[in-house]
Amino acid sequence: MSQLETLAEHACFGGIQGYYRHVSRECATPMRLAVYRPPQAARGSVPVLYYLAGLTCNEETFAIKAGAQRVAAELGLMLVGPDTSPREARFAGDDACWDFGLGAGFYVDATEQPWSSHYRMYSYVTKELPALVQANFPARADAQGIFGHSMGGHGALVCGLRNPEFFRSVSAFAPIAAPTRCAWGHKAFAGYLGEDRSTWGAYDASRLVARRAHPNPILIDQGADDRFLAGQQLLPEQFAAACEVSGQALELRVQPGYDHGYFFIQSFVDDHLRHHARLLGS
């Protein structure tokens, strides 16, 4: 287990908002993460909720913009947010596009060069990061959930559906719900996974949920005025239809007047935290 370096810690609603760095085994490069420890963590282990951020974001985005710490402190939830891609492993052209490369790891294990040497975000999120958190913070191993936004909503759905015994609760804000059917997904999957589309389904939440339901209900919030919804990048209706195939319990809420940004997330993050707290026994 790699050593965790403390970059900064701040008192926040009786708990601690911290930022940390470690050398990742999966990504073969240093990675950063944010961890909010609620006040209850000073007295014992607490449920932990992983948040996966979206395109161009990093480990600080949710902690700074979402305003989630107040209710997390009330509920006794630890919040963990990793970065969205490796940062110190650089490749030619990795910052040429905002939707591929730096800040856009799509939570897959890349199989194409040069990305495969470092862009292993799926294994990082589902294996290495939880082990790191368990080793360094008072997090309950039996009470872990996952949620995210946009690209991170895609990641949360995929990680939760593929690992239901590990992530007991799942939710998402405006997720890229059917990436094999949208331009963002085509670009990312072709670049990271190659042109053989038969491999892409392992990272498509709509395909996954059609085959096997998660044992607990999934909550999704989607802004009705989201320009990416209108642009056919998110496709929540595809996920809803797939849930009907497998019998997955889904609450899909389309919120009038809301767009894709963090004012939308701020408005409904309390509901998501309470959704997870109910399922995790917080």
Side-chain angles (χ1 to χ4, degrees):
M1 180 60 61
S2 63
Q3 184 175 0
L4 195 66
E5 174 189 359
T6 299
L7 301 176
E9 292 186 331
H10 310 276
C12 184
F13 291 104
I16 298 173
Q17 178 63 60
Y19 298 98
Y20 308 94
R21 180 179 183 269
H22 75 111
V23 178
S24 167
R25 179 188 68 255
E26 290 290 349
C27 298
T29 186
M31 294 290 291
R32 296 189 180 214
L33 64 149
V35 178
Y36 176 68
R37 307 199 304 272
Q40 295 87 340
R43 302 187 295 273
S45 297
V46 297
V48 56
L49 182 55
Y50 295 88
Y51 176 85
L52 306 184
L55 292 164
T56 75
C57 296
N58 60 27
E59 77 285 353
E60 295 183 335
T61 309
F62 179 78
I64 292 171
K65 290 187 175 183
Q69 292 92 338
R70 177 182 59 83
V71 170
E74 172 194 330
L75 299 173
L77 287 174
M78 183 179 297
L79 304 175
V80 177
D83 204 346
T84 52
S85 79
R87 300 278 173 172
E88 297 189 32
R90 299 300 304 272
F91 304 111
D94 62 4
D95 59 354
C97 302
W98 68 279
D99 56 356
F100 183 81
L102 205 65
F106 264 84
Y107 304 103
V108 303
D109 284 348
T111 56
E112 296 295 295
Q113 290 292 338
W115 314 102
S116 59
S117 58
H118 295 285
Y119 279 59
R120 294 183 49 80
M121 293 300 295
Y122 174 79
S123 288
Y124 179 73
V125 167
T126 61
K127 298 176 183 177
E128 184 175 10
L129 180 62
L132 182 77
V133 169
Q134 292 293 325
N136 289 276
F137 300 100
R140 284 176 52 191
D142 66 334
Q144 302 184 89
I146 192 164
F147 69 150
H149 171 231
S150 193
M151 176 187 72
H154 139 75
L157 292 174
V158 168
C159 292
L161 288 166
R162 288 178 60 172
N163 302 275
E165 71 291 342
F166 189 80
F167 296 114
R168 288 174 46 197
S169 58
V170 182
S171 74
F173 297 96
I176 304 172
T180 61
R181 302 182 187 184
C182 73
W184 275 344
H186 291 173
K187 181 176 181 177
F189 288 3
Y192 293 134
L193 305 175
E195 295 295 342
D196 181 1
R197 297 194 177 198
S198 68
T199 66
W200 294 7
Y203 298 104
D204 186 308
S206 293
R207 293 191 180 185
L208 291 169
V209 78
R211 293 199 297 266
R212 183 177 70 165
H214 192 279
N216 287 321
I218 293 174
L219 171 64
I220 292 178
D221 271 306
Q222 172 63 60
D225 290 357
D226 187 330
R227 64 189 177 99
F228 300 117
L229 177 66
Q232 297 294 302
Q233 295 281 27
L234 306 176
L235 304 174
E237 70 280 2
Q238 297 284 345
F239 187 78
C243 286
E244 292 185 3
V245 172
S246 64
Q248 171 68 56
L250 171 69
E251 184 176 7
L252 172 58
R253 310 191 305 186
V254 180
Q255 305 290 0
Y258 287 89
D259 60 18
H260 196 71
Y262 268 82
F263 293 116
F264 160 60
I265 293 174
Q266 286 176 25
S267 300
F268 301 104
V269 70
D270 291 4
D271 292 349
H272 284 249
L273 296 181
R274 296 187 191 283
H275 163 83
H276 289 274
R278 285 192 299 271
L279 294 172
L280 298 177
S282 173

